Amino acid sequence: MANPTQPNVGFTPERESSNPEKSPIPPPPSFVASSPGFPPPKLHLQQDQASSRSVKTPNVLSPANGVTTGSPVPHLSTPPGPPVFTSPVRPAAVPFRTSPALPQPLAFSPGSSLPTSSSPLQFSNGTFESQHQVSDSIEDHVPLGESSFVLFSAHKVLKQKKQANVPSLGFGALVSPGREVSVGPQVIQRDPHRCQSCGAYANIYCNILLGSGQWQCVICRKLNGSEGEYIAHSKEDLHRFPELSSPMFDYVQTGNKRPGFVPVSDSRMSAPIVLVIDECLDEPHLHHLQSSLHAFVDSLPPTTRLGIILYGRTVSVYDLSEEAMASADVLPGDKSPSQESLKALIYGTGIYLSPMHASLAVAHSIFSSLRAYKLNVPEASRDRCLGTAVEVALAIIQGPSADLSRGLVKRSGGNSRIIVCAGGPNTYGPGSVPHSFSHPNYPYMEKTGIKWMENLGHEAHRHNTIIDILCAGTCPVRVPILHPLAKTSGGVLVLHDDFGEAFGVNLQRASARSAGSHGLLELRTSDDILITQVVGPGEGSRVDTHETFKNDTALYIQMLSVEETQSFSLSMETEGDIKSDFVFFQFAIQYSNVYQADVSRVITVRLATVDSISAYLESVQDEVAAVLIAKRTLLRAKNHSDAIDMRATVDERIKDIALKFGSQLPKSKLHSFPKELSLLPELLFHLRRGPLLGSIIGHEDERSVLRNLFLNASFDLSLRMVAPRCLMHREGGTFEELPAYDLAMQSDAAVVLDHGTDVFIWLGAELAADEGRSAAALAACRTLAEELTEYRFPAPRILAFKEGSSQARYFVSRLIPAHKDPPYEQEARFPQLRSLTSEQRTKLKASFVHFDDPSFCEWMRSLKVVPPQPS
């Protein structure tokens, strides 16, 4: 079992395979021995959203990168900033890219090689070998815009098992089941055609017998009937079926099958939100919290139902029908509420969930009535009955319907939400821990508290309620206790410096993000491709489909929520040498959306197989590969000591990739890193230096929260958390994207550094001395930072500071120290230097304080590896 203070673990399915080749890279940890037989193993998943290499070019701001021009500015908890700033970004001087542009799987590329009708078919039942009545995959109708759902680390697969299963580079995919696309996938309102043997769905890559309408499964190659639906005169006639003309489509069931379906745009707003607020705050924190709460209720749609609960030693449930004063019913916090007290509360005269159009003024009066903590008790020692308060919130959301016979429960649109605003640990009542770590019974109480919180989170998940915990302030909140509650319900835990702007933005985004429920992810692969590890926001699911599909070997994952900001990381291997020219992957996501419709989203991907290592390396997507490697690495870094060990595995990984795929220099022990993977080593260097594995973050609570967030995060956010994006402000209001090197710290410039959960704005000393220029540059940088992160959840901190200030160390520590490199290497990796005068370069060189951290090139050479030239 995993360490109880880190409840998230990765799942390693147990499969029969030969012993892997020895490698200095440790294999993924098998935390739990799964039962023999597959499927269905018991998963323990880490909690937590094609083109050729010619796409690796400088990237501009675009909706894919989190920038949406012309979109409304989100309602913040502070006065609005400068007007929306949509300046262009100047391309970097060389094709250098650290932006989160989404590579496109080869299966969606129009240039991909597809089978032709001249290719003979060899059906597994041996009954048919014909060419002229067979429909090909439909090459001309494969769209390009849907690749963001599934991103593979390479667009080709090596046929040889020994070559393919090199663990240092690895092969896998990132799946974002809840991701939305600008133009939605094709919708099919009928039952799907599925393989009677393995359960796979009919798709664009299936071969169709036009005369009989039979189709061949791409996963198991068995022949299936279509009840005559696929009978056609030509393959063009099959284009009318969405599943045969697009690699992704949605089956949607509504209408009579779902009598509760409400086809209106804001039906999701009927799902209630309950605020659970810590009342043990000091005056400064309370003042910021009140401002954020006032802005929050102002931002809610009028149909949203809201509940307000406060907790300390007791639980106060506010009556939203009282307009003249703030009135609350009070329950004791030392134990779970009894059924009698909950019935008295729910069936009483008070109204505890009310739409905003009827209770906005009441909510404002309640927030204004909050008072600071008066007793002379340290923050960490104050009694907080957070567990009891969440239990009461769950009871209010369920309401009287929980007492109906046969367990019938009213179903609202989408998931309900409980948002906890916490300023300290849970130290009173069920699930609590003692105030002091020195308590003799602390380890036992922590263990029982974790288990209690896990059970409460599972209970919330069963009732389609997500619990987000937003913490703020300087008091440690005991993350190991609170995180299981958020994780098992499908929510997140986020730490903030205070209850100010970033907290207020996250409060609003937590309530506004739409989430599906009852999510189930099915994973199917062909040709002996094994899924060896899954990391993401889900749990193992035992789905018995053998009565329907006799040979179903799919991997089933119960998704705790279905949200755009999440993803699953899949590690894969080949069980043997691959004989076919293509391998297929099918991802099916079943969930109920916010409009109460049942959706089955099916995505099928086809990758070509190759014998050539160079062709394979050319197809590797450096950024996707780096994110997959980072997630596998962070899964093992449960604490600071583990993180230090994982830095060594990154070093070994670089050496092993150079040894296996690079070349040895003549008359030297040095190996050159493969030129096809030119971006990968720099991304991994950022990983080992940055907050995920480095020493930037000091407190273990912060490290734990960041790790858990990263292991769940979508590709975009994950990439930014691994490697920051550096943008320099230029005269005229443009921004130039530059490598994230300390050479960007030029005194006459302003620089924006986006590192996922933090965005830094650095003003050079020379620029800061000019008040007019610095104000304009700061406003432009601030607006750009808000645009870059407009839809990011959690919303990052945005910090601005001047060169030489104490806060500037946060900025400097995240940049690669290249100032010690010789000039020719600096210019090769940071070409913008060539535009500086000799006087400016001398001034830049004199501004650096020398320290022992190696530069990227020094680090690579210390591993006996020659760094690749910039692409």
Side-chain angles (χ1 to χ4, degrees), residues 66 96 271 273 291 295 310 330-331 333 348 403 447 564 633 687 781 792:
F96 178 93
I273 297 171
S291 298
L310 262 65
V330 179
L331 298 173
D403 290 329
K447 183 178 179 179
E564 184 173 1
T633 304
L687 170 66
C781 291
R792 190 174 297 174

Side-chain angles (χ1 to χ4, degrees), residues 637-645 647 693-695 697 700 703:
K638 297 176 185 173
N639 52 49
H640 180 60
S641 176
D642 291 339
I644 295 174
D645 293 340
R647 294 177 211 165
L693 289 181
S695 302
I697 292 179
E700 199 58 41
R703 184 183 303 278

Side-chain angles (χ1 to χ4, degrees), residues 301-379:
T303 55
T304 299
R305 291 184 295 148
L306 181 72
I308 301 173
I309 294 176
L310 262 65
Y311 69 94
R313 279 186 66 87
T314 59
V315 178
S316 302
V317 187
Y318 277 87
D319 182 357
L320 300 178
S321 64
E322 286 284 352
E323 297 184 6
M325 65 184 73
S327 173
D329 291 289
V330 179
L331 298 173
D334 60 337
K335 59 184 178 181
S336 296
S338 65
Q339 289 300 315
E340 291 71 21
S341 60
L342 289 178
K343 280 186 179 180
L345 185 72
I346 293 170
Y347 289 100
T349 58
I351 296 177
Y352 307 109
L353 285 176
S354 176
M356 289 311 304
H357 64 78
S359 57
L360 180 61
V362 180
H364 280 302
S365 67
I366 291 171
F367 298 147
S368 299
S369 71
L370 301 182
R371 294 294 178 262
Y373 190 80
K374 298 298 184 184
L375 300 179
N376 187 22
V377 178
E379 278 187 300

Side-chain angles (χ1 to χ4, degrees), residues 66 509 754 756 759 784-792 795-796 798:
R509 292 184 186 177
D754 179 4
V759 179
L784 175 66
E786 291 175 354
E787 283 196 356
L788 285 171
T789 62
E790 184 176 2
Y791 298 108
R792 190 174 297 174
I798 300 178

Side-chain angles (χ1 to χ4, degrees), residues 569-614:
S569 165
L570 312 180
S571 299
M572 305 182 194
E573 291 180 357
T574 56
E575 196 173 27
D577 293 346
I578 299 175
K579 302 290 193 287
S580 55
D581 293 332
F582 298 95
V583 289
F584 297 89
F585 306 84
Q586 191 169 86
F587 311 89
I589 305 101
Q590 300 178 28
Y591 68 99
S592 298
N593 67 10
V594 295
Y595 304 116
Q596 304 182 27
D598 284 343
V599 179
S600 295
R601 172 167 294 168
V602 181
I603 306 163
T604 308
V605 177
R606 182 181 66 177
L607 300 183
T609 58
V610 293
D611 290 303
S612 166
I613 290 180
S614 62

Side-chain angles (χ1 to χ4, degrees), residues 828-848:
R829 299 187 179 278
F830 200 88
Q832 189 262 355
L833 283 180
R834 298 169 188 157
S835 65
L836 302 183
T837 65
S838 57
E839 181 183 353
Q840 288 174 319
R841 294 188 66 163
T842 302
K843 186 186 300 183
L844 175 64
K845 184 177 180 180
S847 67
F848 292 111

Side-chain angles (χ1 to χ4, degrees), residues 150-408:
V150 182
L151 300 173
F152 278 85
S153 61
H155 293 158
K156 292 181 172 64
V157 179
L158 283 166
K159 290 185 175 182
Q160 299 296 318
K161 173 185 173 181
K162 184 177 179 181
Q163 295 174 344
N165 293 346
V166 174
S168 53
L169 182 56
F171 173 73
L174 285 166
V175 183
S176 301
R179 190 181 182 96
E180 297 296 332
V181 286
S182 54
V183 178
Q186 299 216 44
V187 173
I188 307 171
Q189 288 188 289
R190 59 170 169 77
D191 290 333
H193 289 298
R194 302 186 65 174
C195 176
Q196 296 304 303
S197 176
C198 70
Y201 293 75
N203 59 82
I204 189 173
Y205 302 112
C206 291
N207 292 309
I208 311 290
L209 302 183
L210 300 179
S212 64
Q214 292 176 295
W215 58 278
Q216 186 189 26
C217 175
V218 297
I219 301 298
C220 69
R221 297 189 174 88
K222 295 292 175 62
L223 198 62
N224 295 272
S226 65
E227 298 178 352
E229 276 197 277
Y230 292 164
I231 295 175
H233 294 291
S234 66
K235 69 176 185 179
E236 286 75 20
D237 293 340
L238 296 174
H239 291 170
R240 70 181 187 275
F241 296 101
E243 69 268 32
L244 302 182
S245 59
S246 171
M248 187 185 75
F249 45 87
D250 283 356
Y251 288 101
V252 180
Q253 292 185 355
T254 59
N256 293 333
K257 294 183 180 180
R258 299 308 302 265
F261 176 65
V262 183
V264 293
S265 61
D266 64 347
S267 67
R268 69 185 180 93
M269 299 307 178
S270 64
I273 297 171
V274 177
L275 294 176
V276 178
I277 303 168
D278 185 350
E279 65 177 1
C280 301
L281 302 180
D282 293 328
E283 185 65 42
H285 287 315
L286 178 64
H287 178 72
H288 283 132
L289 176 61
Q290 286 175 311
S291 298
S292 295
L293 292 173
H294 284 302
F296 169 69
V297 293
D298 283 337
S299 72
L300 292 176
T303 55
T304 299
R305 291 184 295 148
L306 181 72
I308 301 173
I309 294 176
L310 262 65
Y311 69 94
R313 279 186 66 87
T314 59
V315 178
S316 302
V317 187
Y318 277 87
D319 182 357
L320 300 178
S321 64
E322 286 284 352
E323 297 184 6
M325 65 184 73
S327 173
D329 291 289
V330 179
L331 298 173
D334 60 337
K335 59 184 178 181
S336 296
S338 65
Q339 289 300 315
E340 291 71 21
S341 60
L342 289 178
K343 280 186 179 180
L345 185 72
I346 293 170
Y347 289 100
T349 58
I351 296 177
Y352 307 109
L353 285 176
S354 176
M356 289 311 304
H357 64 78
S359 57
L360 180 61
V362 180
H364 280 302
S365 67
I366 291 171
F367 298 147
S368 299
S369 71
L370 301 182
R371 294 294 178 262
Y373 190 80
K374 298 298 184 184
L375 300 179
N376 187 22
V377 178
E379 278 187 300
S381 300
R382 297 170 186 173
D383 290 335
R384 296 177 172 90
C385 59
L386 186 151
T388 307
V390 172
E391 285 185 295
V392 174
L394 273 175
I396 289 175
I397 288 174
Q398 294 171 46
S401 62
D403 290 329
L404 295 180
S405 61
R406 300 187 181 276
L408 296 176

